[in-house]
């Protein structure tokens, strides 16, 4: 062990521990819920063993394959996307309090989702409303991409992108989108207001294989690509000028990071609703534990984010079983005190 540097050894142990944690949480997510299923039977079902002598096997197989597995995969994809995106945003803004919501992605998705819920039946042709897929996630994803495009246009001048202007424009856009969403809530009927409220609180309750087949192919490539930003983000920690002198194309790094985050968060928000704090909590915990090297921080954030959201979903399904809490409430209960603790530390590194 002496030939292995201590820091590298600690990060290797941390990565193995995160993989084990994700595996344990994933098994728990399949076993626990309104119907508890023993781990042995889960493995029998997943391995396709003979069910002839086991009672309730068909029911448990249906619960696992049609409800809990798609929900597990969707939760892991959403958690990984939000946490890795948060780590990218914190590196890009050089601020540990940054998260994807800062650049207006979530606000754009929320406003577009509100438009689809409240005005979709009126503005869209009847043939569109009868399509075999849901309009809501598509509208939310398009809204997230449009918001990113508008903010990028505002923040870009002469081939350079100002992160400070993007941050301020994102705050303004979030306020504008919030006002629009509030207006739509005001004019909505009772059913629309209920749908809008539950979507805004976030949930994995609508997880299906069709949603998984849409989200995973969009999130997975971004999770593979994001670690390639690690060298540039490490250099950006020294400042933009220093990163440029180290050979980093700073503007290309900004554009690539913003596009990857927009696609990942847009896909996640479109299928799960608004879930906050994952992008803040996960990278910061890992940074405190094993340092700020983005070569480790980015993949580790994806693993821990997936485990955290799947774990929160278990809590959401079991605390008030057989009913279900919106997962946004669980994350806010965890994340808000953690965020206040971060603010109370009053570290100079929080300055933008």
């Amino acid at each position: 062990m002496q030939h292995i540097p201590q820091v590298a050894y600690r990060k290797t142990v941390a990565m193995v521990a995160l993989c084990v944690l994700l595996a344990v949480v994933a098994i728990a997510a399949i076993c626990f819920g309104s119907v508890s299923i023993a781990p042995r039977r889960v493995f029998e079902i997943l391995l396709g063993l003979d069910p002839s002598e086991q009672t309730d096997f068909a029911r448990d197989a249906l619960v696992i394959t049609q409800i809990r597995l798609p929900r597990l995969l969707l939760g892991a994809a959403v958690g990984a996307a939000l946490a890795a995106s948060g780590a990218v945003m914190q590196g890009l803004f050089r601020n540990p309090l940054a998260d994807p919501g800062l650049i207006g992605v979530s606000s754009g998705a929320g406003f577009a989702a509100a438009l689809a819920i409240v005005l979709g039946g009126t503005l869209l042709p009847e043939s569109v409303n009868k399509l075999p897929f849901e309009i809501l996630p598509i509208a939310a994803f398009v809204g997230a991409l449009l918001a990113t495009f508008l903010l990028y246009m505002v923040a870009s001048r002469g081939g350079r992108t100002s992160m400070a202007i993007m941050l301020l424009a994102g705050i303004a856009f979030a306020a504008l989108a919030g006002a629009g969403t509030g207006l739509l809530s005001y004019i909505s009927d009772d059913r629309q207001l209920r749908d809008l409220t539950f979507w805004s609180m976030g949930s994995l309750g609508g997880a299906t294989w069709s949603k998984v087949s849409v989200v995973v192919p969009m999130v997975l490539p971004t999770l593979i690509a994001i670690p390639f930003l690690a060298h540039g983000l490490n250099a950006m920690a020294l400042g933009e000028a220093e990163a440029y002198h180290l050979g980093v194309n700073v503007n290309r790094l900004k554009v690539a990071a913003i596009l990857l985050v927009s696609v990942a968060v847009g896909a996640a928000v479109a299928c799960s609703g608004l879930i906050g704090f994952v992008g803040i909590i996960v990278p910061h915990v890992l940074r405190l534990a094993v340092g700020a090297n983005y070569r480790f921080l980015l993949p580790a954030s994806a693993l821990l984010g997936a485990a955290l959201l799947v774990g929160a979903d278990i809590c959401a399904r079991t605390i008030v079983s057989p009913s279900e809490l919106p997962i946004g409430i669980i994350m806010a209960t965890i994340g808000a005190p953690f965020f206040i603790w971060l603010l109370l530390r009053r570290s100079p590194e929080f300055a933008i």
Side-chain angles (χ1 to χ4, degrees), residues 107-154:
S107 301
F111 178 64
L115 275 176
I117 292 172
V118 179
L119 301 179
T122 304
L123 297 181
L124 295 176
E126 188 176 351
S127 57
V128 174
N129 291 318
K130 291 182 178 178
L131 290 175
F133 51 84
E134 297 180 37
I135 296 299
L136 177 60
I138 297 174
F141 182 68
V142 172
L145 293 185
L146 283 177
T148 305
F149 176 75
L150 291 174
L151 290 170
Y152 178 74
M153 295 296 291
V154 170

Side-chain angles (χ1 to χ4, degrees), residues 137-333:
I138 297 174
F141 182 68
V142 172
L145 293 185
L146 283 177
T148 305
F149 176 75
L150 291 174
L151 290 170
Y152 178 74
M153 295 296 291
V154 170
S156 297
R157 291 288 187 278
R160 294 176 59 84
T161 304
S162 168
M163 301 312 297
I165 292 178
M166 176 165 279
L167 173 60
L168 296 174
I171 294 172
F173 184 83
L176 186 62
T181 304
L183 178 61
L184 290 168
S185 301
Y186 181 76
I187 65 174
S188 62
D189 58 30
D190 290 344
R191 182 186 61 80
Q192 293 166 342
L193 183 60
R194 184 177 184 277
D195 292 343
L196 183 56
T197 302
F198 274 95
W199 187 87
S200 65
M201 288 192 290
S203 175
L204 299 176
T208 60
W209 283 115
S210 61
K211 284 187 178 180
V212 172
S213 66
V214 172
V215 173
V216 172
M218 296 182 70
V219 169
L220 190 58
T222 62
L223 294 177
I224 295 173
I226 278 176
F228 289 98
L229 303 175
H231 171 69
L233 293 177
N234 281 335
M236 282 283 284
L238 303 173
E240 289 193 21
E242 289 77 3
Y244 175 79
H245 289 297
L246 289 173
V248 176
N249 187 327
V250 175
N251 204 50
R252 185 182 298 173
L253 173 68
K254 293 175 182 175
V255 173
I258 291 167
L259 285 177
L260 289 173
V261 167
S262 299
V263 172
V265 175
V269 172
C271 286
S272 65
L274 299 177
I275 300 174
F277 294 107
V278 179
I280 291 180
I281 294 174
V282 172
H284 199 79
V285 167
L286 290 170
R287 193 178 288 107
L288 290 174
V290 291
N293 187 336
Y294 284 90
R295 294 185 189 279
F296 169 79
L297 191 61
L298 295 176
S301 293
L303 288 172
L304 186 56
L308 176 63
L309 204 63
V310 172
D313 185 50
I314 296 173
C315 296
R317 288 188 283 121
T318 55
I319 289 177
V320 294
S321 178
S323 298
E324 180 178 325
L325 282 174
I327 198 169
I329 294 177
I330 302 292
M331 289 310 306
T333 304

